[in-house]
Amino acid sequence: MTNIEKVAVIGLGYIGLPTAAILATNGLQVVGVDVNKRTVDSVNAGEVPFVEPDLGAHVAGAVSQGKLRATQDTPKADAYIVAVPTPFRADRSADLSYIEAAARGIAPQLEGGELIILESTSPPRATRHMGDYILSLRPDLSLDGSDGRPTIHLAHCPERVLPGRVMIELVTNDRVVGGVTPEAAELAKGLYSTFCQGEILLTDDVTAEMAKLVENSYRDVNIAFANELSIISDGLGIDVWELIRLANHHPRVNILQPGPGVGGHCIAVDPWFIVAEAPEDAKLIRTARQVNDAKPLWVVDKVIDALESAPLGTEVAVLGLAFKANIDDLRESPAIEITKMIAQRAPETVLNVVEPHIVQLPEQLREHENVKLTDLTVGLKSSGVVVLLVDHDDFKTAELTDLESKFVIDTRGILAV
Ligand code: SAJ
């Protein structure tokens, strides 16, 4: 294998574009590949089609120095990094069609000796599936040099960066690199060491795939425990926030925080890949998903109960729509699901939504005439029922006055002392 000088990054999304940019600013010749012409055009103009701190400067600098360009067609390269979506299907198994499409673009360009890295969050054995798929198109190649055929080196290297801190965490986080062969893992390590200052830990491909899924499942199971405690505590008439705070004084106990449900694109999705792979054995992981997915309905029932015993015409203040605190990201947000369900079940009730990080309601809520976006003061003033869904700092620091006269459902413990 010659030195890696030219890298093609397939998929210029939240992970692919930052990875392409950081490789380019560290001296490699990078071609970003995307099916979306608008994405390609904006990258070639040195612009970033989404919000991520510092990414704009990296992309603009790399493009103007001629180190980064984007195209819709996969070029020849020494290394390929695949960072395409892996959504789940209706039966919650992973949809690998984007990976297969990337492989179809790469296969005709291969000569032997190239490194191919799958970065997309993937179910176990997806990397091997990609390898087998490439070999079905290119039977003249091999993954391990068997039968003297030219070898392509295949590895999985999951990303674990936190949106909003991507350009920092790409450099500082440790990386798990799993090779289909030890040689592939070593080659991938060499490529990541051009920009990664964290530890680069080598393993096989399936263990690396599972490491990513397990990290997010670990969080999901522990959040489910907290969510279950919140429901049990409500039945017992005790304060779950106090309960968790006290229990966490034990030196070996560290319970996470309950909430209105689990949102975002990762923690609520990745555990299903394990369940789909091991349906008989992944009992706890499946149950945790069900517990967390059921929490929004429990919150809605609380609000409907409160409205039933409130005077006719009582309005509801909904505090927060984002999937977690202090961001504007509404993807898979339980707060949106809850607001929508209340709007449907109480169509006569006005819902005063307060979300300081957005300027207009998301599409899913716009169709409901009883849902309005407003500010905190107006929202609280008009409403007899208050449901706190996101622990934004704006809500923590605001003076939440007059709450004594209202029915308050605090799903995040903002009011807990
Ligand atoms: N949540 C709770 N209670 C808690 C902690 C979180 O209800 O105690 C909720 C949040 O409100 C949110 C959801 O869980 O709705 C997920 O939020 P998060 O901040 O825990 O995680 P994400 O989804 O933003 O990012 C995760 C991270 N993974 C882990 O922490 C193991 C991140 O490092 C990964 O890169 C990312 O998933 C990913 O891309 O997989």
Side-chain angles (χ1 to χ4, degrees):
M1 163 103 194
T2 51
N3 267 350
I4 296 174
E5 286 166 8
K6 181 172 174 184
V7 183
V9 178
I10 324 292
L12 295 177
Y14 291 92
I15 299 304
L17 184 53
T19 305
I22 204 123
L23 284 165
T25 49
N26 280 278
L28 286 129
Q29 198 63 43
V30 182
V31 180
V33 182
D34 204 285
V35 288
N36 187 330
K37 186 169 182 310
R38 279 172 56 196
T39 302
V40 166
D41 289 345
S42 76
V43 171
N44 282 331
E47 287 160 16
V48 177
F50 52 87
V51 176
E52 180 60 47
D54 292 342
L55 178 58
H58 275 82
V59 170
V63 170
S64 72
Q65 285 170 14
K67 286 287 183 190
L68 172 65
R69 69 182 174 88
T71 155
Q72 286 181 281
D73 303 309
T74 308
K76 275 202 188 310
D78 304 319
Y80 296 86
I81 295 181
V82 176
V84 295
T86 41
F88 58 46
R89 298 198 190 90
D91 67 355
R92 296 204 172 100
S93 63
D95 175 359
L96 302 183
S97 59
Y98 296 90
I99 294 178
E100 289 172 357
R104 281 195 296 277
I106 296 169
Q109 305 298 344
L110 298 171
E111 293 175 350
E114 293 90 348
L115 170 66
I116 305 173
I117 299 172
L118 179 62
E119 275 212 17
S120 312
T121 301
S122 299
R125 293 192 294 275
T127 310
R128 282 176 199 200
H129 173 80
M130 184 173 75
D132 292 342
Y133 190 81
I134 292 174
L135 291 190
S136 73
L137 303 168
R138 292 292 307 272
D140 55 313
L141 301 172
S142 86
L143 299 179
D144 55 7
S146 53
D147 300 338
R149 284 170 289 161
T151 309
I152 49 167
H153 305 282
L154 208 61
H156 182 65
C157 178
E159 61 76 21
R160 295 129 106 206
V161 288
L162 203 66
R165 285 177 48 82
V166 169
M167 298 318 286
I168 300 166
E169 292 202 359
L170 266 179
V171 176
T172 57
N173 281 4
D174 294 344
R175 300 278 317 217
V176 174
V177 172
V180 167
T181 60
E183 192 188 354
E186 284 295 347
L187 285 169
K189 180 178 178 175
L191 181 58
Y192 284 106
S193 18
T194 56
F195 65 86
C196 174
Q197 291 168 10
E199 213 178 320
I200 299 178
L201 307 145
L202 301 191
T203 180
D204 63 79
D205 51 324
V206 181
T207 308
E209 288 161 344
M210 278 298 280
K212 164 76 190 203
L213 302 179
V214 161
E215 288 161 13
N216 282 346
S217 300
Y218 168 85
R219 291 284 283 180
D220 200 44
V221 167
N222 283 280
I223 297 168
F225 181 69
N227 277 333
E228 187 163 290
L229 288 182
S230 73
I231 296 171
I232 294 170
S233 300
D234 189 71
L236 289 172
I238 61 171
D239 179 349
V240 68
W241 314 101
E242 185 190 6
L243 172 67
I244 291 174
R245 184 166 48 78
L246 296 175
N248 281 350
H249 274 270
H250 186 285
R252 284 175 295 284
V253 174
N254 187 12
I255 303 170
L256 294 182
Q257 299 300 298
V262 171
H265 249 35
C266 310
I267 293 184
V269 176
D270 297 357
W272 287 121
F273 290 173
I274 301 181
V275 175
E277 189 61 33
E280 297 295 318
D281 299 325
K283 298 185 184 71
L284 182 62
I285 297 172
R286 179 196 285 107
T287 304
R289 269 295 60 246
Q290 289 164 341
V291 167
N292 286 334
D293 273 355
K295 190 73 191 290
L297 182 58
W298 185 84
V299 176
V300 173
D301 285 342
K302 286 263 154 212
V303 175
I304 299 296
D305 282 354
L307 280 173
E308 276 166 6
S309 40
L312 213 62
T314 297
E315 298 186 5
V316 178
V318 176
L319 303 196
L321 284 185
F323 88 82
K324 64 177 181 179
N326 306 323
I327 57 167
D328 64 353
D329 195 338
L330 306 181
R331 289 179 300 169
E332 319 295 330
S333 174
I336 293 189
E337 198 186 336
I338 289 168
T339 311
K340 198 172 170 59
M341 281 196 275
I342 302 172
Q344 281 164 343
R345 281 176 57 183
E348 308 298 326
T349 302
V350 173
L351 304 189
N352 299 299
V353 171
V354 183
E355 176 45 81
H357 298 89
I358 61 171
V359 289
Q360 67 165 354
L361 284 172
E363 211 167 309
Q364 306 100 294
L365 297 179
R366 256 179 266 157
E367 67 193 60
H368 297 282
E369 282 175 11
N370 54 334
V371 181
K372 298 190 304 189
L373 186 65
T374 183
D375 65 40
L376 188 59
T377 317
V378 175
L380 285 179
K381 204 166 176 217
S382 328
S383 307
V385 173
V386 179
V387 54
L388 290 153
L389 296 178
V390 187
D391 47 343
H392 287 315
D393 287 347
D394 288 339
F395 299 152
K396 288 190 193 157
T397 50
E399 222 167 292
L400 300 173
T401 45
D402 276 348
L403 288 185
E404 314 78 53
S405 59
K406 304 178 196 297
F407 192 95
V408 180
I409 298 144
D410 179 5
T411 70
R412 294 282 190 178
I414 299 178
L415 303 173
V417 277

